[in-house]
Amino acid sequence: GPFSGKVGAIVGATWKGKPVMRSTPKKSTKPPSALQLLKRKEFQVTERFLNPLSAWIEMSYSIDPPDMTKRNLATSYHKKNALIITDDTVTIDYPKALVSMGELRAIDVTAASITSENALALSWVDNSNQGLANADDQLLVVLYAPETHEYYFSQDAATRQDGEVLLPLPAYFANTEVHGWAGFRNAVTGVTADSRYVFFD
């Protein structure tokens, strides 16, 4: 039967409800190559961005791949599609990041700004009944301040049919660089839309 823990050079565990066995990794005595160092940096940058989003991803990624977790899907996507690599420098390509993923009709943002009162003013087209879109789809918003590594999350402040929202923001988003994403989620089925990057006026 299945087992958990280390036995000799083998580790037993459960992954997505299936018993699995892995061999314990061996430490290499060779110094890492330039390519290995770059790959490690890609992983570190991706994980630093995604780790605070882990619980959010469980809700906002409605695609459930059979051979990986939603969190692994997010890691794989961002490593392949949302990194800017210049020489040995790695940064997140924010417009390509996805904080939600799914088959729902995406948001069509018409205007976005951070007001002088430190609130997010966001408006979008009511594209209800296009594709899988519904008037009562819940608005999803994620904001990120790279300088302080702080996040802001909102998942039910407005619906697709509302067309606009004004969200007061925490004080730590005042007078700093902010990146944002918005999407929708069906409150009944849980199906979500691919998020769209928000360009602030």
Side-chain angles (χ1 to χ4, degrees):
F3 70 96
S4 177
K6 184 178 178 183
V7 178
I10 297 175
V11 178
T14 300
W15 182 80
K16 297 198 79 173
K18 301 176 182 178
V20 295
M21 291 189 299
R22 302 185 182 95
S23 59
T24 55
K26 295 180 180 179
K27 292 184 179 180
S28 174
T29 57
K30 294 182 180 180
S33 66
L35 180 59
Q36 287 174 322
L37 290 174
L38 179 61
K39 292 299 181 183
R40 290 179 188 177
K41 189 171 292 186
E42 291 177 16
F43 180 78
Q44 291 168 354
V45 169
T46 301
E47 290 302 290
R48 186 172 188 270
F49 176 69
L50 291 178
N51 276 341
L53 291 166
S54 293
W56 177 269
I57 286 169
E58 286 301 311
M59 176 275 298
S60 66
Y61 273 52
S62 59
I63 295 176
D64 193 10
D67 298 325
M68 64 174 69
T69 65
K70 293 181 181 182
R71 180 65 171 75
N72 288 342
L73 173 61
T75 298
S76 176
Y77 169 82
H78 285 81
K79 286 177 66 178
K80 292 177 182 177
N81 302 286
L83 293 179
I84 298 173
I85 303 171
T86 306
D87 298 326
D88 61 348
T89 301
V90 181
T91 55
I92 295 293
D93 190 350
Y94 296 112
K96 294 182 180 179
L98 287 180
V99 300
S100 65
M101 181 185 291
E103 298 177 349
L104 207 62
R105 179 73 162 80
I107 191 171
D108 184 5
V109 175
T110 55
S113 62
I114 304 294
T115 71
S116 57
E117 291 78 24
N118 194 35
L120 170 65
L122 183 69
S123 60
W124 59 90
V125 175
D126 177 10
N127 51 16
S128 303
N129 302 317
Q130 296 181 18
L132 299 176
N134 293 285
D136 59 353
D137 289 336
Q138 295 175 327
L139 178 69
L140 304 179
V141 173
V142 174
L143 301 181
Y144 174 55
E147 184 177 345
T148 58
H149 196 50
E150 297 280 3
Y151 287 80
Y152 168 88
F153 304 95
S154 175
Q155 67 181 76
D156 57 5
T159 61
R160 191 186 293 265
Q161 65 185 349
D162 291 334
E164 62 181 3
V165 72
L166 185 66
L167 294 173
L169 300 179
Y172 52 75
F173 279 99
N175 303 314
T176 189
E177 176 188 7
V178 176
H179 298 274
W181 301 264
F184 287 114
R185 178 177 184 266
N186 186 294
V188 177
T189 66
V191 176
T192 56
D194 286 358
S195 61
R196 293 290 183 262
Y197 183 74
V198 175
F199 292 91
F200 295 109
D201 297 334

